[in-house]
Amino acid sequence: MTIQLTDLHVEFDQGFQLKHINWQVEKQQHWLITGANGAGKSALAAVLAGYGDIQSGSTGGLPSPIGWVSFEAQAELIDAELKKDDADITDVISLGTPVREIIFTSEIDAAIAQDLITKFELDYLLNRAFRKLSTGESRKVMIIRALSCKAELLILDEPFDGLDSSTHAMLQTHLSGLAQHTPIVMVLNRFDEIPDFVSHVAYMENGELRHQVERNDEAAYAELYQLLHLKTTQLQIPPADTDTDIPALNPQQPLVKLTNICVKYTDMVLINNLDWTIEANQHWQLSGPNGSGKTAILSLITGDHPQCYTNDIFVFGFQRGNGESIWQIKQFIGYVSTALQWEYRVGTSLRNVIISGFYDSIGLYSKSTDRQKQIADQWLTLLGMQDRADYPFNKLSYGDQRLLLIARAMVKHPPLLILDEPCLGLDDINRQLVLALIEKICEANETSVIYVNHHAQDRIAGIDNYLALEKSADNS
Amino acid sequence: MSNNYFNTLPLREQLEQLAKCRFMHMNEFTEGVDALKGKKMVIIGCGAQGLNQGLNLRDSGLDVSYTLRQAAIDEKRQSYKNAADNGFTVGTYEELIPTADIVLNLTPDKQHTPVVTAVMPLMKQGACLSYSHGFNIVEEGMQIREDLTVIMVAPKCPGSEVRAEYVRGFGVPTLIAVHEDNDPQGHGLALAKAYAVGTGGHKAGVLMSSFIAEVKSDLMGEQTILCGMLQTGSLLCFDKMIDKGMDAGYASKLIQFGWETITEALKYGGVTNMLDRLSNPAKIKAFDLSEELKVIMRPLYNKHQDDIINGTFSSTMMADWANDDVNLLGWRAETGETAFEKTPAGDMEISEQEYFDHGILMVAMVKAGVELAFETMTAAGIIADSAYYESLHETPLIANTIARKKLYEMNATISDTAEYGCYLYNHACLPLLGDFMKNIDTDVIGRGLSSDDNGVDNARLIEINAALRSHPVEAIGATLRGHMADMKKIV
């Protein structure tokens, strides 16, 4: 048996859609479907159970019978029971179907069911009406039904939800036995509950099947874990450090005002006559081909370009070239770019890399406070790296380094956050991690973001100002 | 011809000046760049030091411009482009010097006399003239107008590092001094400190020294252990390996990158740590070789120090300057023709540890050179702090240039004074070590000790470990590295 979903579009009652589903489940495989809330995990599982309105594409090899545990299936059963009650228009109080009848139907292997009833310690409930059960109890009944129906495929959508720990452990063990001969597809929100027998992971996002990872591909699995962590945790951006206050800015003034900017070298002109004003709380996307001067403009703002002294630049209350130091400018800015990552070749710890954001330094050269360490640890937790706080930065994967540098840029809650192609060189999963983090930052709305990118698909929710540069005519 | 300033001083003052060197505390820099705020700083020369110091000073909020000779501006020479492309004002001496509150002379030593002679009459009353090396004042006896303040601010790293460390939010160790004969307003130290802050030096550590201590220790270090010993050692070790039939590519690579690798251990933990990287038998071997080398070379180190102190070295070199650098350029060309220089490094892998195991003689040479330079300097009245910086501390920097560029380029990169002294040392040291090298085999350079003789005598090992650890360069080194670590990266 191979289940085959090919370019499938499915619509569900509430208008939810699954799109572009291409998926193949082999007989020997056990899948985990995961993703954030609302990503379409349960919907994909339900498709295997024959639910949903197929708009286009095809399904093949769907087995029968299927053992299905899910909130939807549970709700359906309870609903049916309630309808029976409604249908009883006599003045007799319906007792409802007893649990025994719900479980022991003709499709059920009675011996297995009885075994499970004992294991779940449900004997005392067999004569009670199903609709009188608590949610946890009815969930157990659902599970017993599904596991004893001689299924060709088991679909277990959050089967552990609401189970106490001993029952949870019992079920895990039981499933490991079943997995010897029955393929299992599980839906779980939490990676730490994944049974050992799961061999593949499917990651859903916005109704699409975004990633399919083999369990034994450790690197990809770890990234997926991190992505899920970021997507499913209620992201709380850690607080700023009250001891390293950024001076208050005059809200009447723009953050940045560039007037008639020209960047030229003895033999060429890179930028000619550019004006750009960034007001507080504006988010900008800056784009343009290679060599159009994107990075030059940003480094005029950050003070890293020597010609910031020969141009009309107003930043954070300073008209440049009047005795201010670049550290007075940089305190207002968080900055991430590929170049920064190249320059950040420091053997210092992950925690120190984040703390260095308070000092705008590459490496840490100042004694940090306990509060700064605490904040850094909160960021590490947010990134799912809390176990590696003392790990050397330069031993980190490329994607993790980038995430850490974004945290470094954000740690002081700067009025302006500059993200110069933050996704460049990252694989798809890491790109989504980065974008998820940036969206959280934009939502918080205390920081203006300048986002530079090439990939149009990397649009970020919340950015609504655009500056597109062209190659200067003199620069060819 | 010039008058040696040092030689005009009475012995009492000579000794007092030589002994000046103090590691300054961070809280001595709380005024930041205030003493230079709003002052006009004009830099003469826009090479690597000039440009990068200027970029740092400007980024620290100071007013910086560059003055070049008319010809350099008219012909748009590299120095002009360096300054102009970075958005600095560039003007002639006549245009800018009269406006300057502080003139930063960042030209090579050799040009100091003509440059200072040209700009001094243009400088405004009570302005400040800053050097990054004291040679012109101390060895050439340049007399500066009485109303002018004369200071020195010398970052102890190449210009590119000065910039790179600043941009990272740090700095490089910096030496400052005030020429006491020229401090009419008594604000020389305040200006020097503000200048050091402007380049970021205060974050990495500032040494308060004197013009004399800087010159006499700097010359000694650079021509003996730093450049001289590494050059002589490279040539001798390479020729020995070839003589013993080893692969030339391997020999070339072992030397080119070996100095850098073994002195990295020196940088972190002094001579002790460098020798601790060896196996016990190799450590004993290196120790014995270095003791032998120290006996042979001590008279040479004494001669260099004596010639530096009494001015013989500088007058000899200045005679060559006056003679169109005939000696210097001839010796530079000779270096380019040596077998080591002409043999490219092979592409074999050499592990970090192998550089130690197969370079026992190189370790012995570094140990002997560092200790001799340190001992000779302190015996001449230079304080241990200065002696440490000018010997052990800077050796890894030169080793790094050899790793990148080998000897010819190393010599072209270092200052003229260092290069000239390096050749003098090399010419004397090569024959001096002739007999010593006859007894050297590939067990100490190229192949390493055979692995079946790892046993050592306990008493001998204890004796050697104690000797290593009790050398005075190790005591001061531990203290100064401790200071630096407090300020430096928390890594």
Side-chain angles (χ1 to χ4, degrees):
Chain A
M1 175 209 75
T2 297
I3 302 170
Q4 180 88 42
L5 308 185
T6 310
D7 202 23
L8 199 63
H9 287 232
V10 188
E11 204 167 298
F12 292 81
D13 291 347
Q14 307 88 340
F16 187 82
Q17 290 191 341
L18 289 181
K19 292 159 287 186
H20 310 294
I21 304 291
N22 285 290
W23 194 25
Q24 193 165 314
V25 178
E26 306 281 352
K27 200 161 67 182
Q28 296 304 324
Q29 298 174 349
H30 303 292
W31 282 78
L32 170 73
I33 305 173
T34 189
N37 291 330
K41 302 185 296 289
S42 297
L44 182 63
V47 168
L48 298 182
Y51 284 79
D53 199 357
I54 293 177
Q55 306 291 305
S56 63
S58 65
T59 64
L62 290 181
S64 175
I66 286 175
W68 188 29
V69 175
S70 73
F71 273 114
E72 287 78 3
Q74 194 174 349
E76 202 171 281
L77 194 57
I78 290 170
D79 203 37
E81 281 296 302
L82 289 175
K83 280 202 176 104
K84 276 187 197 167
D85 195 10
D86 285 346
D88 195 347
I89 51 171
T90 62
D91 197 21
V92 178
I93 298 169
S94 165
L95 296 174
T97 316
V99 170
R100 184 187 303 282
E101 283 179 37
I102 294 279
I103 294 178
F104 291 98
T105 59
S106 56
E107 304 97 59
I108 291 294
D109 182 319
I112 297 175
Q114 187 53 57
D115 176 46
L116 284 166
I117 288 168
T118 310
K119 281 180 175 169
F120 275 108
E121 298 172 0
L122 282 188
D123 285 292
Y124 73 101
L125 286 178
L126 287 177
N127 293 322
R128 198 175 292 182
F130 179 73
R131 64 183 166 87
K132 300 275 185 189
L133 300 185
S134 73
T135 318
E137 288 163 343
S138 65
R139 167 56 56 115
K140 287 178 186 171
V141 171
M142 293 292 299
I143 293 172
I144 292 169
R145 270 165 52 112
L147 299 189
S148 45
C149 74
K150 295 171 272 183
E152 295 287 319
L153 173 70
L154 276 173
I155 305 171
L156 307 172
D157 190 340
E158 300 288 358
F160 306 123
D161 254 23
L163 297 186
D164 57 57
S165 60
S166 63
T167 320
H168 183 161
M170 182 278 293
L171 181 56
Q172 284 258 26
T173 314
H174 187 84
L175 290 177
S176 302
L178 274 180
Q180 304 293 325
H181 48 80
T182 310
I184 299 177
V185 173
M186 301 185 89
V187 176
L188 286 177
N189 231 331
R190 297 175 53 173
F191 258 37
D192 48 8
E193 290 177 342
I194 296 182
D196 290 338
F197 59 77
V198 166
S199 64
H200 290 73
V201 180
Y203 180 80
M204 296 295 294
E205 189 178 286
N206 293 332
E208 294 187 44
L209 177 47
R210 281 291 167 80
H211 305 289
Q212 305 187 33
V213 169
E214 270 193 62
R215 180 82 173 267
N216 54 19
D217 181 349
E218 285 178 24
Y221 187 76
E223 283 176 336
L224 201 59
Y225 176 86
Q226 212 172 5
L227 177 60
L228 189 69
H229 174 82
L230 199 64
K231 286 280 190 181
T232 57
T233 313
Q234 187 60 37
L235 283 193
Q236 276 281 339
I237 302 284
D241 176 21
T242 46
D243 297 334
T244 44
D245 257 350
I246 299 173
L249 291 168
N250 180 351
Q252 306 304 317
Q253 290 178 331
L255 286 183
V256 174
K257 189 170 197 301
L258 307 180
T259 310
N260 194 21
I261 295 297
C262 296
V263 175
K264 55 184 89 167
Y265 303 101
T266 34
D267 40 10
M268 71 146 183
V269 177
L270 183 62
I271 298 168
N272 214 358
N273 303 325
L274 177 98
D275 294 329
W276 189 16
T277 303
I278 300 170
E279 303 287 350
N281 298 321
Q282 278 185 344
H283 300 311
W284 282 81
Q285 183 158 341
L286 174 64
S287 59
N290 286 326
S292 58
K294 297 189 297 294
T295 299
I297 287 183
L298 297 176
S299 51
L300 287 176
I301 295 172
T302 60
D304 290 320
H305 197 292
Q307 292 186 26
C308 63
Y309 295 97
T310 54
N311 276 290
D312 181 353
I313 295 172
F314 176 86
V315 275
F316 315 110
F318 294 98
Q319 182 68 36
R320 290 306 316 268
N322 285 298
E324 73 294 338
S325 84
I326 49 164
W327 308 110
Q328 285 175 290
I329 305 299
K330 284 179 187 288
Q331 65 180 333
F332 296 100
I333 301 173
Y335 185 73
V336 181
S337 70
T338 307
L340 174 72
Q341 191 166 348
W342 289 335
E343 283 157 25
Y344 215 116
R345 289 165 314 203
V346 178
T348 193
S349 70
L350 304 198
R351 183 187 291 115
N352 282 351
V353 168
I354 293 184
I355 295 174
S356 72
F358 287 117
Y359 300 96
D360 308 309
S361 60
I362 294 180
L364 185 58
Y365 312 102
S366 308
K367 232 179 158 54
S368 49
T369 65
D370 287 348
R371 191 200 303 274
Q372 289 171 338
K373 283 180 194 145
Q374 273 172 21
I375 293 171
D377 285 346
Q378 290 176 42
W379 277 99
L380 288 170
T381 305
L382 182 86
L383 298 177
M385 300 185 195
Q386 63 273 29
D387 299 338
R388 291 183 283 171
D390 296 312
Y391 194 78
F393 177 71
N394 54 5
K395 297 277 194 294
L396 222 52
S397 78
Y398 192 77
D400 282 351
Q401 285 189 357
R402 183 65 58 84
L403 285 172
L404 209 64
L405 290 178
I406 292 178
R408 170 187 175 272
M410 272 306 296
V411 72
K412 61 180 178 183
H413 291 224
L416 182 63
L417 178 64
I418 299 178
L419 303 162
D420 186 354
E421 305 208 53
C423 298
L424 197 70
L426 298 184
D427 62 23
D428 195 39
I429 287 180
N430 278 301
R431 170 153 42 233
Q432 289 178 47
L433 265 167
V434 168
L435 294 179
L437 197 55
I438 296 172
E439 274 178 23
K440 290 286 171 188
I441 292 163
C442 285
E443 277 171 23
N445 222 13
E446 56 178 0
T447 290
S448 294
V449 174
I450 303 178
Y451 176 62
V452 183
N453 77 331
H454 272 128
H455 297 279
Q457 71 266 30
D458 284 349
R459 289 249 162 146
I460 291 184
I463 293 188
D464 43 16
N465 297 284
Y466 299 90
L467 176 66
L469 296 179
E470 284 166 21
K471 256 187 160 156
S472 166
D474 300 337
N475 170 24
S476 48
Chain B
M1 195 69 196
S2 58
N3 270 324
N4 190 301
Y5 168 73
F6 180 73
N7 290 349
T8 66
L9 298 177
L11 176 65
R12 172 177 40 78
E13 266 186 58
Q14 288 182 335
L15 292 175
E16 187 189 323
Q17 292 294 322
L18 280 173
K20 275 202 178 162
C21 185
R22 179 176 71 82
F23 192 91
M24 299 181 78
H25 196 272
M26 194 70 173
N27 64 18
E28 295 179 65
F29 297 93
T30 48
E31 310 281 297
V33 296
D34 288 356
L36 288 169
K37 255 310 197 226
K39 300 266 171 73
K40 201 158 180 51
M41 305 180 81
V42 174
I43 299 179
I44 314 171
C46 197
Q49 279 294 344
L51 174 63
N52 289 302
Q53 287 192 31
L55 288 169
N56 290 2
L57 293 166
R58 181 174 65 175
D59 278 345
S60 295
L62 300 174
D63 178 355
V64 177
S65 48
Y66 285 84
T67 183
L68 301 171
R69 277 170 300 172
Q70 186 73 52
I73 298 173
D74 292 345
E75 295 163 22
K76 289 199 181 352
R77 287 190 200 151
Q78 191 58 44
S79 58
Y80 173 81
K81 281 192 194 170
N82 287 347
D85 275 352
N86 282 291
F88 287 105
T89 302
V90 185
T92 60
Y93 292 175
E94 289 73 18
E95 286 164 352
L96 293 183
I97 297 288
T99 69
D101 298 298
I102 173 165
V103 174
L104 283 58
N105 174 17
L106 295 176
T107 59
D109 285 332
K110 198 183 296 182
Q111 294 176 22
H112 282 191
T113 294
V115 163
V116 173
T117 309
V119 300
M120 204 163 28
L122 299 170
M123 287 178 70
K124 74 178 174 193
Q125 193 74 15
C128 174
L129 174 64
S130 175
Y131 284 92
S132 62
H133 189 23
F135 191 88
N136 184 239
I137 296 285
V138 176
E139 300 293 321
E140 300 188 84
M142 173 62 73
Q143 294 292 311
I144 308 297
R145 236 170 56 201
E146 278 179 8
D147 61 293
L148 298 178
T149 304
V150 175
I151 62 170
M152 171 164 49
V153 177
K156 296 261 116 194
C157 274
S160 51
E161 287 289 303
V162 171
R163 181 62 181 161
E165 288 293 334
Y166 181 89
V167 169
R168 304 174 78 179
F170 197 52
V172 305
T174 299
L175 187 149
I176 66 172
V178 178
H179 185 35
E180 286 163 17
D181 292 3
N182 278 90
D183 192 13
Q185 302 168 57
H187 66 177
L189 180 58
L191 292 177
K193 284 198 301 183
Y195 181 170
V197 172
T199 56
H202 67 303
K203 292 182 181 171
V206 175
L207 289 167
M208 169 81 189
S209 184
S210 69
F211 271 64
I212 284 167
E214 190 273 334
V215 170
K216 301 296 187 186
S217 60
D218 185 60
L219 289 175
M220 180 62 188
E222 67 192 17
Q223 56 192 251
T224 57
I225 169 59
L226 299 181
C227 308
M229 188 71 249
L230 297 190
Q231 167 137 357
T232 304
S234 297
L235 299 179
L236 289 176
C237 291
F238 181 81
D239 290 348
K240 174 57 72 178
M241 282 188 271
I242 300 308
D243 190 40
K244 294 289 177 183
M246 290 197 62
D247 176 67
Y250 180 86
S252 178
K253 182 164 188 175
L254 185 70
I255 292 166
Q256 183 178 352
F257 299 98
W259 298 121
E260 184 182 42
T261 308
I262 62 181
T263 60
E264 180 78 1
L266 184 75
K267 181 167 95 184
Y268 280 97
V271 174
T272 302
N273 183 55
M274 179 175 69
L275 266 83
D276 283 351
R277 292 296 308 270
L278 294 166
S279 70
N280 285 329
K283 180 196 273 187
I284 294 174
K285 194 83 194 164
F287 184 87
D288 290 343
L289 287 170
S290 82
E291 290 298 293
E292 212 181 322
L293 284 167
K294 282 175 76 172
V295 171
I296 302 169
M297 297 193 298
R298 188 176 301 277
L300 178 62
Y301 279 69
N302 285 339
K303 177 175 173 12
H304 273 266
Q305 186 69 81
D306 294 345
D307 288 351
I308 289 165
I309 292 285
N310 67 28
T312 307
F313 167 73
S314 54
S315 60
T316 311
M317 180 176 65
M318 286 187 282
D320 194 44
W321 290 358
N323 191 30
D324 294 330
D325 297 316
V326 169
N327 285 341
L328 182 86
L329 296 175
W331 294 335
R332 188 186 285 180
E334 269 174 32
T335 300
E337 292 302 312
T338 58
F340 166 65
E341 199 65 21
K342 297 186 97 163
T343 308
D347 53 11
M348 64 287 292
E349 277 290 317
I350 301 183
S351 74
E352 198 248 3
Q353 185 58 40
E354 186 174 333
Y355 282 109
F356 290 90
D357 298 340
H358 291 190
I360 298 169
L361 177 60
M362 294 165 74
V363 171
M365 285 173 163
V366 172
K367 174 184 182 298
V370 164
E371 290 181 355
L372 276 175
F374 181 86
E375 291 166 22
T376 318
M377 279 192 252
T378 50
I382 294 166
I383 200 169
D385 307 52
S386 289
Y388 170 81
Y389 276 104
E390 301 296 350
S391 58
L392 194 153
H393 176 77
E394 293 205 2
T395 304
L397 294 175
I398 301 298
N400 174 264
T401 65
I402 294 177
R404 282 184 295 167
K405 305 228 170 193
K406 298 185 91 170
L407 297 178
Y408 180 85
E409 288 294 334
M410 180 268 280
N411 276 300
T413 308
I414 57 180
S415 69
D416 284 355
T417 53
E419 184 179 8
Y420 193 87
C422 170
Y423 297 138
L424 289 181
Y425 178 97
N426 186 47
H427 289 143
C429 196
L430 283 174
L432 194 62
L433 293 181
D435 285 342
F436 170 84
M437 288 303 294
K438 282 187 190 138
N439 298 318
I440 292 296
D441 209 331
T442 52
D443 59 338
V444 293
I445 183 69
R447 294 208 169 90
L449 303 180
S450 58
S451 55
D452 54 356
D453 56 0
N454 250 340
V456 291
D457 178 57
N458 281 324
R460 180 73 182 131
L461 184 64
I462 291 166
E463 193 184 347
I464 283 174
N465 279 333
L468 281 173
R469 283 157 174 79
S470 63
H471 191 280
V473 77
E474 295 297 86
I476 187 70
T479 309
L480 290 175
R481 284 194 297 271
H483 281 321
M484 304 290 281
D486 287 345
M487 302 192 149
K488 221 185 142 91
K489 356 193 149 189
I490 304 167
V491 280

